[in-house]
Amino acid sequence: MKHDNSYTGQDFKVIGTRVKRPDGIDKVTGRARYGADASLPGQLVGRILRSPHAHARIKSIDISKAEALQGVKAVVTADDMPVPQGLPGDLAHMLENSMARGRALYDGHAVAAVAAIDAKTARKALQLIEVDYEPLPHVTDVDAAMQPDAPVIHDWIYTSGVDPKPEKPSNVVQRTEFGLGDIDAGFAEADVVVERSYKTEATHQGYIEPHACLANIRPDGSGELWVTTQGPFVYRNVCAQMLGMDIAKLKVTSSEIGGGFGGKTHVWGEPVALALSRKANRPVKLVMTRDEVFRASGPTSSTSMDIKLGATRDGKLVAARAEMRYGNGAFPGIWGMLSCMTSFACYEIANCKAIGYDVVLNRPKVAAYRAPSAPMAAFGVESAMDELAAAISMDPVEFRLKNASREGGQSHYGPVWGPIGIRATLEAVRDHPHMKAPLGPNQGRGMACGFWFNIGGQTCSDLNVGIDGTVTLTVGTVDVGGSRASLGLIAAEELGIAYEQVSVNIGDTGSLGHNDMTEGSRGTFSSGMAAIFAARNTIEVLRERAAKMWGIPVEDVTWEAGQAVAKGSAHGNLKPLTLKDIAAKSPKTGGPIAGHNEVVADGAGVSFASHICDIEVDPETGATKVLRYTVVQDAGKAIHPDYVEGQFQGGAAQGIGWALNEEYIYGKDGRLQNPGFLDYRMPVCSDLPFIDTKILEIPNPGHPYGVRGVGETSIVPPLAAIGNALSNAVGVRMHHVPMSPPRILKALREAEREAC
Amino acid sequence: MRYESPTTTSEAATLLAGESGEAFVLAGGTDLLVRMKNMMVEPELVVDVKRIPTMRSIEITDDGGFRIGAAVPGVEVGEHEALGRAWPGIVEAAGLIGSDQIQGRCTIVGNVCNASPAADTTPALIAADAQVEIIGPKGQRTIPVAKVATGPGQTSLTKGELVEAILLPPRPANSGDAYLRFTPRTEMDIAVVGAAVSLTLKDGVVSKARVALGAVAPTAIEVEPAAAAIVGSKLDDGALDALVKACRAACKPIDDRRGTIEYRTEVAGVLAKRAALIAFERAGGIQ
Ligand SMILES: Cc1cc2nc3c(=O)[nH]c(=O)nc-3n(C[C@H](O)[C@H](O)[C@H](O)COP(=O)(O)OP(=O)(O)OC[C@H]3O[C@@H](n4cnc5c(N)ncnc54)[C@H](O)[C@@H]3O)c2cc1C
C-alpha cells in the first residue's frame, strides 16, 4: 500500500507525552549489553599494532616471531585483507584505513593485528611483530598541506573542481563552490565590510564507549558480527564487500550504543576483527583502548577559513564570501563541501559565494561528528555577523532577524525553503527573559544561529501483533538518543492503544530489509515514518479480521481509538472489537497479524536553532565559565519532549566543550599529544550550567506528524555564541577555537599592549 | 605479579627490599593502578599498605603538630576537624584530588611519592614545612617533603624504603595557609600551575612565610624570595607585586599540551598572590 507522507495536522493522544524509555532500567542497573559485552565459546582477544609515525613507508613486516608465540592463533596484515575486485573507491579507502597497505599514513594507523588466547599473549605478540619503517615527511596542518612545497600524501589526488585540471598531484582533493548572485557587485553595494580569518582545531566525538565488536567467521565463509554501531546494515554491507563476502552471509547485530555522534557510522577495527576471525577460525573480540579511539577513529576536520561579509548601513546583508579549508585526515572526504552548503543557510544574501577545499593530512580519517562541518563554518560566519552588527550599530538579534532566510526564498546551496524556523527561533531569543537578565563585571552575553539539513533515506520497519494484543515494532535504526520511546509512542498513536502495549525492538540485519544508519538526525524521522505506515498497514489487516469475525464487508469496518467499529445501520448492534479481541482470534482468522513498510523517507525538514549564552572570564587567567545557556530550536514536532530536550542539551554541551577546551594537539613529530580524556579536555558536569531549552514546533510538511530531525543542529551555534559572549565580556575577539585559557590570556595581553 | 598486604611497616620494608624485580608500594592505587593498566609499569611485587594500622590514622603529635598516616584516604583528611582548622590549605589541596570516587582511595603520601610535578598536595606540604617519616632496611629517617621528589616520577627513596607518615609542625596562633591550582576544567584535571602560601602574623604583619609552586619546574619548588617579599608586610600592593615577580622569576616550566611556558609563568604569579591573600585572611589579617 502506498502512503502519503504529507503533514496532516492531527490532534495527538500520546505523541508529545513524556513516557519512560524502555532501555532505561537496563542502562542504570548495568544490564544493558554494549559492544564489549558479548561472548562466544572459544573467543580470542584481538589487538592491533599501530604506527608510531605520522607518515612512513612500511618496508617490511615480520610476523614470524609473533606467530610462533604460544597462544597466538592468528596474525594479520594487509596481505590478509586483499582488495576485492571491483571494490568501490571509498570502501577501498576504508579498507586501507583499517589496515595500512605499504604506508602508514598517520600516528595510530593500524599496521598489523593479532588474535590470541588472552590479552597478555596478544600484547606480547604485538611486541614481537617487527615492522621496518622508513619515515617520510608529514603534514598535519591544513594550511601547510596546501602549500606548493608540502609533502604530497597521495600521488593519485588531482584536485577536482578547478579549471584547468591540475597537472600535478597535491593534497587538495576537491574545490567546491555554492552561491548566488554576483559578490563583486554585492560588496560594491556594501557600506561596511568585515573580513576575518579563523581557525578551528580538530575535535573528537568523545563517545564514552570505545569501539568494540565480536566477530565470528565460520569455516563455511558465513559469519556474524556483534558491534557497537550507528548502522548495522551499513556495517554489514561495507564489511562484507571489504572482505569479499556475500552480503547475506554476514549477519550484523548492533549492541546498545554508548554514544556515537557520527563516529560509529564508519568502520575502524571491525574489518580487522573479521579478518582475524577468518584466519584463526575462532570468534575474535576486539575492543579499542581510549588511546586507539583518539588516534585511529575519526575526529572532525581541523579548519582554516576566510570570511567576508558586507552590509548596508540600514542592516541589509548584501554580500558574503567564505573560503573554507577543511582537513580530511588521510583519505578524501566531503567535509569542505558540507561546510559550503551550511555556511550561509541562515540568511538571505543575494550575492554570496562559499568555496570549500577538502585537504588530506597525516591525521586519522575524518568521520562525521554531529552536523559535520557546520559548527566550524558557523563559528566563522556567526562571529563575523556579530562584528558586522556592531559595525553598523545594530542589535545582533535584530540584524539577524532582518536578514533571516524565509519560506519561499532561494537557499544558497540549492533548495527553495519550505516553512522554516530561523525567524521564529530568533524572535523567541529576542523575547526570552535570558536576554534581559543582568550581567556582572567580566561577564558577557552572546548569541548565534545554526542550521542543519537533516536526512531521510532508506528505512524498513515491521509491526507484529501478539495474540494477547500487545505489539512489537521492529526497526532497523539503532537507538542512540531515546528513539525506542519515540517510536513506541508513534505506534501507540496510530493504533490507538497505550504506549505500554508496545515494545520496540532494534532488528539485526537478518530480520529486516536495509536501513540506513542513525545519522543525519534521521532515526525518529524515518523510522517514525515507516512505523506510521506499518501501523496503518496493520490496521488494514485488523479491519479485515474484524470483518471476517463479524461476517460483514470490510468497507463497513473502521478503526477508531484502538478498536474495530462496524459502521452502518445494518450492523448497529455489533459491539466494537478491540485489538485484543481480534488478536486472540487471529490463529483462526488468517494467522499472525502484522504490518510492514519499506520506504525511502523523503521530505526531511531542515532544522534551525538560535542559542544564547552568558559567560564570565577571569581576566588574570583567561579561564571562562559558562554561567547560563539557552537553546531555542525548531523540532517540527517533539514526539517525546524529554529526548528532544536531551538532544538540544547534548549538542550544546559538546559545542561548549569544543569552543573552550577540546582539541587535537599534534607535536612537531606529527604524533598526537593528548590521546586520552585527561588531556583531551571534554567538559565534566560541573563545567556546565543547566542548559535551558525551548522547543518550537513548525511542522515539517514532509512528515505525517510534522517531525524534523533534532539531533544535530544544537552543536552548530555554541562555538560562535561563546566567542560572541567573550567579546562582549572582555572586549577581545577570538579567531581560534578552542578559546582555551592560554589563548584568551594571550589575546587579553595583546589587547592591553595595543591600548597602551 | 605477587600481591602482599603486610600489617607492619617493617614487614613491608623487608618485602620491598627482598624483591629483585620491580616492586611498588600500593596505597590508594589511583596512580599505580592506572599506570599498571596502561602497561607503563609491570611490577613483580605490589605491597599494599592499607592493612598497616599505624598508617591508617591521623594523630596529634606531642608537640601539637599532626602525623598523617601514609594510608589515610583523602576523604578522611577532609573530615578531620582539627587538621582542617590548623592546615586548611593542605586539606583543600588534598580535597582537589580527583572526584568522590578517587577521594575514597587516594592518599597524600601517594600523591607525594608519585612525584608528579603537578601533584596538588606537594606545594601545600612544602609551604607547611612538612616532613616525611621514612622506614627502610636501615631503619627510620625523616626528610622534608621537598626532598622526596627529585624529578618527574623520580624520588630519593632507596630500595626497600617506604613512607610511613607525613609530619606537620605545630601551628602558632595567627597562622593561615592556602592552596590554589589552575585547571581548564573544574575537576578531573591536572594542575597547569599550583601555588601554596603558608604564613604567620605578628601584630597583623606577616612575620613568617613560605611559598611553593607546582607544575612550573621538574618538581614542586619552594620560592624563598617570594616569601621574603611578603614578610614584614600586610600584603600591600607593593609586597604582592614583589611576590608575583619572585614567583614568576622562579618558574622553569615547559611548553606542553597542558600549557605554555608563558602562560604557566604568568598564572603562577596570579595564583600565588591570590593564595597569599586567602592565607592572610585565614590568619586573621586585615589589610
Ligand atoms: C581520575 C583521577 C583524578 C586525579 N586527580 C588528581 C588531582 O586532581 N590532583 C592530583 O594531584 N592528583 C590526581 N590524581 C592522581 C592521584 O590520585 C594522586 O596522586 C593520589 O594522591 C595518589 O595516591 P594513591 O594513594 O592512590 O597512590 P598510589 O597509586 O597507591 O601510589 C602512587 C605512587 O606512590 C608510591 N607510594 C604510595 N604510597 C607510598 C608509600 N607509603 N611509600 C612509598 N611510596 C609510596 C606508589 O608505589 C606509587 O608509585 C588523579 C588520579 C585519577 C585516577
Side-chain angles (χ1 to χ4, degrees):
Chain A
M1 188 176 168
K2 185 94 185 91
H3 295 280
D4 182 4
N5 66 342
S6 312
Y7 175 63
T8 47
Q10 74 208 73
D11 287 332
F12 294 112
K13 290 200 188 67
V14 293
I15 295 295
T17 60
R18 298 174 186 257
V19 294
K20 285 197 188 106
R21 64 194 289 165
D23 49 322
I25 291 177
D26 276 0
K27 283 182 177 163
V28 299
T29 56
R31 271 181 271 187
R33 290 190 310 145
Y34 290 91
D37 294 329
S39 297
L40 281 172
Q43 79 185 25
L44 303 172
V45 176
R47 298 281 298 153
I48 294 179
L49 183 70
R50 297 186 181 277
S51 166
H53 300 289
H55 192 191
R57 200 161 70 82
I58 300 169
K59 287 157 74 178
S60 65
I61 306 181
D62 183 350
I63 59 170
S64 56
K65 285 190 191 130
E67 279 183 320
L69 182 70
Q70 195 174 7
V72 172
K73 300 295 179 189
V75 182
V76 303
T77 65
D79 292 345
D80 299 285
M81 301 171 74
V83 185
Q85 271 224 321
L87 188 71
D90 56 336
L91 294 194
H93 295 161
M94 278 190 206
L95 182 60
E96 186 176 345
N97 185 54
S98 63
M99 188 56 75
R101 207 166 277 284
R103 267 185 316 145
L105 297 168
Y106 54 91
D107 165 35
H109 197 171
V111 294
V114 301
I117 50 165
D118 57 28
K120 206 168 172 187
T121 310
R123 227 168 34 236
K124 258 202 203 123
L126 288 190
Q127 289 164 0
L128 293 173
I129 297 174
E130 289 167 9
V131 186
D132 188 5
Y133 291 105
E134 177 194 327
L136 298 170
H138 66 269
V139 58
T140 55
D141 178 79
V142 67
D143 288 322
M146 292 178 78
Q147 297 304 313
D149 60 344
V152 173
I153 298 173
H154 296 296
D155 60 11
W156 43 265
I157 290 181
Y158 289 80
T159 313
S160 69
V162 291
D163 195 24
K165 252 191 98 172
E167 281 161 14
K168 280 198 316 195
S170 75
N171 296 320
V172 183
V173 178
Q174 62 174 350
R175 178 188 186 278
T176 38
E177 191 181 309
F178 290 86
L180 296 169
D182 173 350
I183 57 165
D184 292 334
F187 281 113
E189 230 183 284
D191 297 317
V192 182
V193 172
V194 166
E195 190 171 5
R196 297 282 181 268
S197 296
Y198 304 90
K199 246 178 131 69
T200 69
E201 297 303 331
T203 53
H204 195 272
Q205 297 85 347
Y207 29 84
I208 296 301
E209 183 199 23
H211 298 280
C213 67
L214 175 60
N216 181 30
I217 301 284
R218 305 182 190 93
D220 67 1
S222 71
E224 56 186 339
L225 180 71
W226 161 275
V227 61
T228 176
T229 172
Q230 291 174 242
F233 295 88
V234 173
Y235 269 38
R236 173 192 62 177
N237 297 359
V238 164
C239 288
Q241 289 181 77
M242 284 162 78
L243 286 137
M245 296 169 72
D246 291 341
I247 283 174
K249 293 266 170 66
L250 180 63
K251 185 173 99 172
V252 177
T253 307
S254 58
S255 68
E256 287 293 346
I257 184 169
F261 313 108
K264 290 174 187 165
T265 60
H266 192 293
V267 296
W268 312 103
E270 294 78 7
V272 179
L274 289 162
L276 282 169
S277 174
R278 179 167 65 186
K279 194 164 180 185
N281 191 21
R282 295 262 289 266
V284 174
K285 184 152 147 181
L286 186 78
V287 181
M288 279 198 191
T289 62
R290 185 62 58 188
D291 174 276
E292 292 180 285
V293 169
F294 275 109
R295 286 167 69 210
S297 75
T300 61
S301 300
S302 52
T303 75
S304 161
M305 302 173 277
D306 305 314
I307 311 286
K308 185 176 173 187
L309 302 178
T312 56
R313 287 249 168 256
D314 62 354
K316 193 165 160 44
L317 203 50
V318 286
R321 182 181 189 280
E323 186 176 312
M324 297 170 286
R325 300 167 288 274
Y326 273 52
N328 288 190
F331 296 94
I334 54 161
W335 312 110
M337 184 178 93
L338 287 178
S339 79
C340 289
M341 296 170 73
T342 60
S343 55
F344 297 131
C346 293
Y347 306 109
E348 204 166 67
I349 318 171
N351 308 294
C352 63
K353 187 188 270 189
I355 302 159
Y357 289 99
D358 279 300
V359 184
V360 290
L361 302 173
N362 293 113
R363 292 185 180 222
K365 187 172 188 287
V366 166
Y369 178 18
R370 211 169 193 156
S373 298
M376 305 82 133
F379 172 63
V381 171
E382 290 292 300
S383 296
M385 282 294 285
D386 244 42
E387 284 202 67
L388 193 51
I392 57 168
S393 309
M394 204 164 170
D395 174 78
V397 181
E398 287 306 327
F399 179 51
R400 286 176 171 86
L401 258 174
K402 200 172 157 92
N403 294 289
S405 294
R406 63 185 82 222
E407 187 172 351
Q410 171 67 50
S411 73
H412 78 288
Y413 70 94
V416 171
W417 298 120
I420 52 172
I422 179 67
R423 198 163 284 278
T425 63
L426 280 163
E427 284 162 356
V429 159
R430 181 193 58 199
D431 301 336
H432 200 285
H434 184 167
M435 288 302 273
K436 290 169 200 79
L439 289 167
N442 299 316
Q443 296 182 354
R445 176 167 301 136
M447 63 79 52
C449 301
F451 158 83
W452 185 247
F453 315 95
N454 298 332
I455 60 170
Q458 301 182 71
T459 312
C460 180
S461 298
D462 260 346
L463 196 149
N464 287 286
V465 179
I467 53 163
D468 62 352
T470 58
V471 167
T472 303
L473 173 67
T474 302
V475 299
T477 44
V478 171
D479 178 357
V480 190
S483 61
R484 269 168 291 196
S486 300
L487 297 169
L489 283 170
I490 289 173
E493 183 76 41
E494 281 299 320
L495 293 170
I497 58 177
Y499 166 75
E500 290 70 24
Q501 263 174 274
V502 184
S503 293
V504 184
N505 175 39
I506 312 295
D508 60 45
T509 60
S511 60
L512 283 174
H514 177 85
N515 277 267
D516 287 337
M517 294 188 265
T518 300
E519 64 175 351
S521 298
R522 67 178 292 275
T524 300
F525 170 79
S526 60
S527 277
M529 194 184 287
I532 291 170
F533 298 156
R536 290 179 185 174
N537 288 342
T538 309
I539 289 171
E540 291 312 300
V541 179
L542 289 164
R543 284 175 54 227
E544 279 163 23
R545 299 298 177 87
K548 207 167 184 181
M549 285 165 72
W550 279 323
I552 65 172
V554 67
E555 296 76 44
D556 292 356
V557 181
T558 59
W559 189 259
E560 286 165 25
Q563 21 184 37
V565 179
K567 284 278 162 184
S569 50
H571 323 302
N573 54 359
L574 287 173
K575 193 166 157 263
L577 288 167
T578 64
L579 179 63
K580 201 170 168 178
D581 299 333
I582 302 167
K585 289 281 183 306
S586 63
K588 294 208 173 83
T589 59
I593 296 170
H596 175 81
N597 180 256
E598 67 265 321
V599 64
V600 176
D602 288 329
V606 299
S607 172
F608 288 92
S610 297
H611 290 193
I612 320 167
C613 82
D614 294 353
I615 59 148
E616 181 173 330
V617 179
D618 180 337
E620 289 187 313
T621 64
T624 302
K625 188 172 162 58
V626 183
L627 304 170
R628 183 170 177 182
Y629 204 99
T630 304
V631 176
V632 182
Q633 188 175 321
D634 173 18
K637 174 70 204 170
I639 299 293
H640 192 308
D642 278 355
Y643 304 135
V644 172
E645 288 162 2
Q647 293 295 324
F648 290 6
Q649 292 167 323
Q654 289 185 311
I656 291 169
W658 193 339
L660 292 176
N661 283 305
E662 291 179 41
E663 67 176 308
Y664 264 47
I665 304 171
Y666 277 90
K668 287 210 169 60
D669 56 4
R671 289 183 190 167
L672 184 61
Q673 303 291 300
N674 57 338
F677 281 139
L678 180 57
D679 290 309
Y680 179 88
R681 289 174 160 123
M682 273 171 70
V684 297
C685 257
S686 50
D687 289 317
L688 298 169
F690 177 77
I691 294 168
D692 200 6
T693 54
K694 189 170 171 64
I695 302 173
L696 302 185
E697 295 186 323
I698 296 149
N700 168 19
H703 188 280
Y705 294 177
V707 169
R708 298 174 192 269
V710 296
E712 292 167 287
T713 309
S714 57
I715 198 176
V716 183
L719 280 62
I722 288 181
N724 293 339
L726 243 152
S727 152
N728 292 331
V730 286
V732 294
R733 177 56 68 176
M734 302 300 294
H735 300 100
H736 192 170
V737 160
M739 297 170 269
S740 58
R743 287 202 183 106
I744 292 173
L745 195 63
K746 200 164 172 216
L748 285 167
R749 292 293 164 267
E750 274 163 15
E752 271 167 24
R753 273 197 293 276
E754 272 165 34
C756 294
Chain B
M1 188 200 87
R2 205 153 53 97
Y3 168 88
E4 300 281 358
S5 55
T7 51
T8 64
T9 49
S10 52
E11 250 181 282
T14 309
L15 281 165
L16 290 165
E19 172 59 52
S20 57
E22 242 190 331
F24 284 94
V25 175
L26 174 77
T30 60
D31 279 314
L32 185 62
L33 297 185
V34 176
R35 273 189 285 149
M36 285 168 65
K37 273 204 149 181
N38 290 338
M39 255 75 70
M40 289 152 75
V41 291
E42 288 185 78
E44 293 300 324
L45 172 68
V46 164
V47 179
D48 188 344
V49 294
K50 288 191 292 294
R51 303 271 164 82
I52 302 173
T54 55
M55 285 196 173
R56 290 300 307 253
S57 60
I58 302 175
E59 313 277 351
I60 298 184
T61 52
D62 295 343
D63 63 357
F66 292 85
R67 182 183 185 279
I68 306 172
V72 174
V75 65
E76 285 176 28
V77 171
E79 283 171 357
H80 200 282
E81 281 182 21
L83 184 64
R85 271 197 306 277
W87 295 102
I90 291 174
V91 172
E92 75 197 349
L96 283 172
I97 297 173
S99 55
D100 283 356
Q101 292 92 327
I102 298 291
Q103 282 287 311
R105 303 197 62 88
C106 69
T107 64
I108 292 186
V109 170
N111 196 228
V112 170
C113 293
N114 191 55
S116 158
D120 280 314
T121 61
T122 308
L125 294 166
I126 293 174
D129 201 10
Q131 311 280 310
V132 293
E133 218 174 73
I134 298 169
I135 182 162
K138 294 189 199 121
Q140 268 195 340
R141 64 188 180 106
T142 301
I143 61 169
V145 167
K147 292 261 155 64
V148 177
T150 54
Q154 306 293 319
T155 69
S156 61
L157 298 182
T158 58
K159 181 142 187 77
E161 282 191 324
L162 73 157
V163 173
E164 282 191 82
I166 296 271
L167 298 173
L168 299 177
R171 205 63 171 136
N174 301 320
S175 297
D177 70 335
Y179 173 76
L180 292 174
R181 70 168 183 186
F182 182 80
T183 55
R185 273 192 296 230
T186 44
E187 53 188 327
M188 302 300 280
D189 210 336
I190 188 162
V192 175
V193 180
V197 175
S198 171
L199 49 75
T200 300
L201 306 181
K202 200 170 168 203
D203 304 327
V205 171
V206 178
S207 62
K208 270 191 352 207
R210 288 172 65 91
V211 177
L213 297 174
V216 293
T219 62
I221 50 171
E222 190 195 344
V223 190
E224 284 171 26
I230 55 171
V231 168
S233 82
K234 291 186 168 187
L235 299 194
D236 52 280
D237 289 348
L240 286 174
D241 276 352
L243 166 96
V244 167
K245 284 210 182 77
C247 284
R248 288 183 181 151
C251 291
K252 290 181 219 57
I254 51 167
D255 264 332
D256 71 359
R257 60 199 180 277
R258 292 175 186 154
T260 57
I261 292 174
E262 189 189 357
Y263 184 76
R264 285 186 154 121
T265 306
E266 175 152 1
V267 174
V270 172
L271 295 190
K273 180 181 72 183
R274 292 179 182 178
L277 288 167
I278 297 168
F280 186 74
E281 197 188 312
R282 285 177 178 165
I286 299 161
Q287 267 184 300

